[in-house]
Amino acid sequence: MKEEFMQIPAPLRKQIFIRMGFSAIAFLLFFIILFSSWDFRLCFPCLILAVFLLINDGILLYQCLSGNYIRLTGVCTGIQTTGLQKKVKAVQADIEGVLLQVRVKHRLGSVAVGDKMELYASVHTPIYEQDGVHIIYDYYAMEVKKGV
């Protein structure tokens, strides 16, 4: 099992560990609230959150171990940012001659045009087309390699 887990790409393993950590924090918060107040109604939302995150992490782990993900590799060709805060909203990449726009769902560090990108998504992820650009809204993990 450990060998199979180590064959999962590093960005996906990082996502699995992050989700496990949030689940553990929610369980810990559940027990802290339960033992401090002895009122189950106060700690029930933490239990629901912990179970949801644990199931979500289990599904991601199963998908990764069974190989039900795709890896898209390309070069960043454009970046869309928000107005005032200049956070990255979307990234465009050239993947084998196809222009792909990915809506960023987490805080992405400094990314520049020309950086190599690796995107890990489910095989069932819908890809939309608008004005000749393919758009992806959901993915498992994204890795940006500088200056490659």
Side-chain angles (χ1 to χ4, degrees):
M1 179 74 178
K2 184 178 179 182
E3 295 82 22
E4 292 175 357
F5 183 73
M6 293 308 290
Q7 290 178 354
I8 297 174
L12 291 176
R13 278 185 295 184
K14 181 181 175 184
Q15 280 297 316
I16 290 170
F17 285 135
I18 288 172
R19 292 179 188 195
M20 280 183 180
F22 281 129
S23 178
I25 289 171
F27 269 121
L28 183 67
L29 192 59
F30 165 75
F31 285 116
I32 288 173
I33 293 172
L34 179 67
F35 291 131
S36 65
S37 68
W38 292 104
D39 188 8
F40 190 71
R41 291 176 293 179
L42 287 176
C43 60
F44 187 68
C46 292
L47 180 64
I48 295 296
L49 178 66
V51 169
F52 172 76
L53 290 173
L54 193 62
I55 290 171
N56 191 332
D57 185 47
I59 290 171
L60 177 60
L61 181 62
Y62 174 76
Q63 294 292 332
C64 291
L65 289 176
S66 62
N68 291 335
Y69 64 90
I70 55 174
R71 179 179 145 203
L72 303 171
T73 305
V75 178
C76 178
T77 58
I79 301 166
Q80 292 181 2
T81 57
T82 59
L84 295 175
Q85 296 179 347
K86 300 295 182 196
K87 292 182 182 178
V88 177
K89 182 171 66 171
V91 176
Q92 288 185 349
D94 183 23
I95 299 175
E96 298 178 4
V98 176
L99 190 60
L100 179 73
Q101 183 177 19
V102 181
R103 299 291 180 171
V104 177
K105 63 180 181 178
H106 63 279
R107 184 156 181 106
L108 192 60
S110 60
V111 60
V113 174
D115 290 345
K116 184 178 177 186
M117 296 177 48
E118 289 183 355
L119 182 76
Y120 298 91
S122 172
V123 294
H124 304 294
T125 299
I127 299 176
Y128 303 100
E129 185 176 356
Q130 181 180 1
D131 299 329
V133 177
H134 293 80
I135 302 173
I136 291 182
Y137 290 100
D138 191 28
Y139 56 91
Y140 289 146
M142 181 189 306
E143 183 179 30
V144 177
K145 296 180 181 176
K146 292 287 185 189
V148 176

